[in-house]
Amino acid sequence: MIRYAYIIPFLPLLSFFINIAVGKRLPRKGDWLCLGTIAIGLAMSIGIFYEVFQAYDPNFRYHVVFPWLTVGDRALFNTGILIDNVTAVMLLVVTIVSTLVHLFSIGYMHGDPRYSRYFAYLSIFSFSMLGLVLAESFLFIYIFWELVGLSSYLLIGFWFEKKSASDAGKKAFIVNRVGDFGFLIGILIIYATCGVLGYDQVFLAIGEGKLSGTLLTLAGIGVFCGAIGKSAQFPLHVWLPDAMEGPTPVSALIHAATMVAAGVYLVGRVYPMFTPDAFLFIAWFGLITLFLTATIALAQNDIKKVLAYSTCSQLGYMIMGLGVGGYTAGLAHLTTHAAFKACLFLGSGSVIHAVHSQDIQEMGGLRKKMPITFVTFLIATLAISGVPGFSGFYSKDMILGAALEFGMKSGNPLHMIFFIGALFTAGLTAFYMFRLVILTFFGAPKDHHKFDHAHESPPSMWVPLVILAGLSFSIWYSGWFGTLVQKPKSVADLAGMSASAPVVPMEHAAVMAPAPHAEAAPVKEGAPDASRGPSSHGTSAPAETPHAAGLAVHGESHEGASRDAEHDAHLAHTAHTYAMYSSVAVGTLGIFLAFMVYSFGWINPDRVANAVKPLHNFLQNKWYFDELYETTVVNGSKALSRGLAWFDMHVVDGLVNLTAQLGVFLSFLVGKFDDYVVDGAVNGLASATTGSGSILRRLQTGKLYHYVFVLAGGAVVIFLIKAF
């Protein structure tokens, strides 16, 4: 099955073209075609994941490369696919969520006048995201990166007749282009220094020292800028909440496992190229995002916006986890978050479909009317709150443990803020998510009219909820994920080493350059490449010899290395133990506090809000980021536009108009010169010729005595001249 992985993205691409062309004339307007193609992709992804899982090798990879653009005998750019453990997991995540969103949309979008077009947009988005996951080079991930941005613009602004939806689509598109510009700069730095764009080739080039130092850090930060935009990290997070203007299934697709996850996946995919400075940069941005957006979610009353800011916060967790060295933790949370957040978004869509409102202050008591939606929503909430037994506990605990371990190892007390901030935010998450559950499903109905008309969604909508809720338990992720998705070694550690020194091979499987010949070159499945050397993972015995050699180069003994390894293992165990108990404690406290305030009535939320009204208004207005952007970016852009318009009108147009006037004046002068000089000379000559001809014509009378008289006169004149 893995040999046919390239077919997976082309299936939704095919359905896109068919639905765009003749979708309205197909049975059910072509929804079955779009659902069927992505379902086939899901089946193939399951097959690929089974092959990868069966190998159970952290170094598993399947790499096919062939020339894409050649000049003579030289291939300027290659293309192909790269499948390793991370790719296999991501393929499965994207196809599962996309398939369930397609199924949910059949019920949710029923009766929409652009029904077939909606499914066509879903297909092109799925194609773009799957291509991004399978890309084996910076070039092609950037191409699909931009296609994801374009297709998300179409989906977010699908109801473009609404100004808010149209503005949201444009905002998402423009803000993401800001981050993508940094991404492009990073790629250009890589290509200018390394001369290649394939992941494997770039990593090898960095290992050889072609790209190092400050330039390597800048390249890494540039690439990360793309993730800042796509994964809605501070300060480019402002587009994500507004994207809720799109259909709710789109929110689940974009904000759960696909578009926003692309940034996290990018950081994980190119993880080996980041320097320690770049990692610290990444960690700070993740920390700021997770805390800032969690505080905003506390005061929101729109059910989708609460989930949107929750998504920003959880993405901050993932980014921070990757930045502090929790590679496996960040990608694990990406995977678990996809299931429970998709369940939450689709659950909110089920609620909105039932009550025709997004304001949680107009809901209440809906668990009686919508039991399936309630149970699945509650399970997903328990998962995101980090309750033991659910998937969020497994992955969030890994991130908190990695943050605490980083703080303990760094020797800088300031770095403990990563653990403290993430732990505090975990409590906030549990609080605002159970606030959402209580106000929506518990208590007395706030609007009896909406409550009376509420009903459970049809099977096409609640079946995906049940499946996603089932995937929100930790049993599906614990154990194997940490074994198969292991932290790669940064190639920055290899840059600058002398060629004579033994080099410790990267733990990352992607270190082998593509085959130089023109034909496709598949790498043997599940087997480490000979050029790569053995893995340095602790799970693989053959890694001991080169690893020991590398340590010897740095002057360390085997015994010292063993003691350091034991110390690191003990420190990691201690950090993760403290993190686990701490996360359970703050999560429990957050849940209990939510019930105290919104269920038991022990604390009056209105009284608290009035007591801290400036803070409440500050959070409710989202830290005034919208106003800040309106004042700076929007108004600044308008002022710049006005300035450029004035410059264009008075300077550029002035110069153009002056030039035109000078041209007219010169034309006038040339015209007069032509009239009076050139034409005057020509006309004067003609007049002289005509005049002389008239005079001479008078002399030619034809009478003989006239001619004799003229001859005689001429003779007299000649005589007189000669005489004098």
Side-chain angles (χ1 to χ4, degrees):
M1 183 65 68
I2 199 168
R3 298 182 182 277
Y4 304 102
Y6 63 90
I7 297 175
I8 297 176
F10 287 102
L11 290 171
L13 181 64
L14 177 64
S15 67
F16 164 75
F17 284 119
I18 294 175
N19 251 40
I20 282 291
V22 296
K24 291 183 179 180
R25 295 190 289 272
L26 294 175
R28 296 183 54 85
K29 296 184 178 180
D31 59 0
W32 57 272
L33 177 63
C34 298
L35 175 60
T37 52
I38 195 64
I40 295 172
L42 171 59
M44 294 181 69
S45 298
I46 293 173
I48 292 171
F49 181 79
Y50 176 76
E51 289 187 33
V52 173
F53 190 81
Q54 193 177 38
Y56 215 73
D57 180 5
N59 296 322
F60 180 94
R61 67 191 277 103
Y62 179 80
H63 193 185
V64 178
V65 178
F66 58 88
W68 180 59
L69 182 62
T70 60
V71 176
D73 296 332
R74 184 190 175 192
L76 293 182
F77 299 109
N78 295 321
T79 186
I81 61 173
L82 170 62
I83 298 177
D84 57 8
N85 295 321
V86 176
T87 307
V89 172
M90 199 64 186
L91 272 179
L92 191 62
V93 168
V94 172
T95 52
I96 286 177
V97 174
S98 187
T99 301
L100 295 177
V101 166
H102 277 72
L103 179 60
F104 186 91
S105 298
I106 292 175
Y108 190 89
M109 297 298 293
H110 179 73
D112 192 279
R114 294 187 295 273
Y115 187 79
S116 64
R117 185 170 292 271
Y118 169 81
F119 277 91
Y121 290 167
L122 285 184
S123 293
I124 191 64
F125 182 90
S126 299
F127 159 73
S128 305
M129 192 64 206
L130 291 168
L132 186 152
V133 171
L134 289 169
E136 64 84 43
S137 69
F138 284 95
L139 173 64
F140 277 86
I141 198 173
Y142 186 78
I143 292 173
F144 286 108
W145 192 268
E146 295 301 324
L147 285 175
V148 166
L150 175 62
S151 53
S152 65
Y153 162 75
L154 297 174
L155 287 169
I156 294 170
F158 182 74
W159 289 322
F160 56 83
E161 60 273 8
K162 292 168 53 183
K163 187 177 184 303
S164 56
S166 176
D167 290 344
K170 289 184 286 187
K171 187 175 184 179
F173 188 82
I174 294 171
V175 171
N176 273 276
R177 298 293 75 72
V178 175
D180 294 352
F181 182 70
F183 188 10
L184 180 61
I185 292 175
I187 293 175
L188 292 176
I189 293 174
I190 292 170
Y191 189 72
T193 53
C194 300
V196 292
L197 289 175
Y199 299 140
D200 296 354
Q201 298 168 311
V202 171
F203 298 157
L204 282 175
I206 296 173
E208 294 169 357
K210 293 182 179 179
L211 177 59
S212 60
T214 303
L215 204 57
L216 177 58
T217 300
L218 292 176
I221 292 175
V223 171
F224 176 65
C225 284
I228 292 177
K230 278 289 189 292
S231 290
Q233 298 297 288
F234 170 86
L236 301 182
H237 66 282
V238 293
W239 70 268
L240 188 65
D242 289 352
M244 297 298 109
E245 292 293 338
T248 300
V250 172
S251 301
L253 183 65
I254 291 178
H255 305 144
T258 49
M259 179 176 172
V260 295
V264 181
Y265 173 76
L266 173 66
V267 176
R269 173 54 67 199
V270 301
Y271 194 86
M273 71 172 290
F274 292 114
T275 64
D277 290 337
F279 278 129
L280 194 59
F281 182 88
I282 292 170
W284 276 111
F285 269 81
L287 176 65
I288 294 171
T289 303
L290 71 90
F291 174 76
L292 183 149
T293 51
T295 59
I296 295 175
L298 290 171
Q300 301 304 306
N301 294 317
D302 186 310
I303 186 173
K304 290 177 67 176
K305 287 203 173 177
V306 173
L307 296 178
Y309 282 107
S310 170
T311 298
C312 291
S313 183
Q314 298 304 305
L315 290 167
Y317 266 105
M318 303 171 204
I319 292 295
M320 189 202 73
L322 291 168
V324 298
Y327 176 84
T328 304
L331 295 180
H333 200 56
L334 169 65
T335 306
T336 60
H337 177 266
F340 60 69
K341 184 51 63 72
C343 184
L344 289 169
F345 269 114
L346 294 183
S348 70
S350 179
V351 171
I352 295 168
H353 185 265
V355 300
H356 302 288
S357 174
Q358 296 183 193
D359 192 346
I360 58 177
Q361 294 183 322
E362 297 179 354
M363 303 176 188
L366 290 177
R367 72 182 190 278
K368 301 175 183 178
K369 292 280 190 162
M370 310 176 71
I372 299 176
T373 300
F374 164 67
V375 171
T376 54
F377 200 96
L378 179 61
I379 291 172
T381 301
L382 291 169
I384 196 174
S385 300
V387 175
F390 297 90
S391 59
F393 168 77
Y394 167 74
S395 55
K396 191 175 290 187
D397 172 63
M398 292 173 67
I399 293 176
L400 290 171
L404 181 56
E405 184 182 354
F406 176 78
M408 295 168 68
K409 283 184 176 180
S410 70
N412 187 345
L414 179 62
H415 292 167
M416 289 299 295
I417 196 174
F418 294 112
F419 171 70
I420 296 170
L423 182 65
F424 180 72
T425 306
L428 293 182
T429 302
F431 176 79
Y432 69 69
M433 285 305 303
F434 270 89
R435 168 183 178 263
L436 178 63
V437 170
I438 294 168
L439 292 179
T440 304
F441 295 101
F442 288 86
K446 311 289 191 306
D447 189 319
H448 288 278
H449 176 74
K450 288 183 172 58
F451 178 80
D452 292 338
H453 288 83
H455 55 85
E456 187 61 84
S457 300
S460 64
M461 295 176 67
W462 61 255
V463 167
L465 294 177
V466 172
I467 296 173
L468 290 168
L471 293 174
S472 299
F473 291 90
S474 62
I475 188 175
W476 305 108
Y477 310 95
S478 58
W480 67 268
F481 198 97
T483 301
L484 295 183
V485 182
Q486 297 189 10
K487 180 180 177 180
K489 183 178 180 66
S490 174
V491 295
D493 297 337
L494 305 180
M497 284 188 175
S498 64
S500 60
V503 177
V504 181
M506 293 185 296
E507 295 176 89
H508 199 274
V511 299
M512 177 182 163
H517 49 78
E519 298 178 359
V523 180
K524 187 178 180 181
E525 303 168 36
D529 302 320
S531 64
R532 183 172 71 234
S535 169
S536 58
H537 290 301
T539 58
S540 182
E544 296 300 322
T545 301
H547 186 62
L551 293 176
V553 171
H554 293 279
E556 298 181 13
S557 67
H558 295 282
E559 294 179 1
S562 178
R563 286 195 300 270
D564 289 343
E566 290 178 4
H567 177 266
D568 290 345
H570 176 73
L571 187 64
H573 177 74
T574 303
H576 284 265
T577 301
Y578 279 122
M580 179 182 66
Y581 288 121
S582 300
S583 66
V584 172
V586 297
T588 303
L589 180 62
I591 295 171
F592 181 66
L593 186 60
F595 275 96
M596 285 176 58
V597 176
Y598 299 103
S599 182
F600 305 151
W602 296 351
I603 301 175
N604 189 318
D606 295 330
R607 187 176 299 174
V608 174
N610 289 328
V612 291
K613 193 168 184 176
L615 177 61
H616 181 265
N617 291 337
F618 183 71
L619 298 179
Q620 198 168 43
N621 287 284
K622 300 164 285 189
W623 287 46
Y624 294 101
F625 266 103
D626 289 341
E627 289 78 6
L628 178 63
Y629 270 76
E630 183 73 23
T631 303
T632 56
V633 179
V634 177
N635 290 341
S637 299
K638 290 180 179 178
L640 179 62
S641 299
R642 287 193 296 268
L644 292 175
W646 182 91
F647 183 82
D648 180 69
M649 185 178 298
H650 294 87
V651 178
V652 179
D653 286 355
L655 290 174
V656 173
N657 293 333
L658 178 62
T659 302
Q661 291 174 359
L662 288 175
V664 172
F665 180 70
L666 289 175
S667 298
F668 173 78
L669 293 180
V670 170
K672 294 300 181 182
F673 181 82
D674 183 70
D675 290 340
Y676 292 100
V677 178
V678 179
D679 289 351
V682 174
N683 294 333
L685 180 62
S687 299
T689 303
T690 304
S692 59
S694 298
I695 295 172
L696 293 175
R697 188 173 62 246
R698 292 177 182 176
L699 298 177
Q700 296 177 349
T701 61
K703 295 180 179 178
L704 182 60
Y705 69 91
H706 285 169
Y707 299 142
V708 173
F709 181 77
V710 170
L711 291 173
V716 173
V717 171
I718 293 172
F719 175 79
L720 293 175
I721 293 173
K722 292 292 184 177
F724 296 98

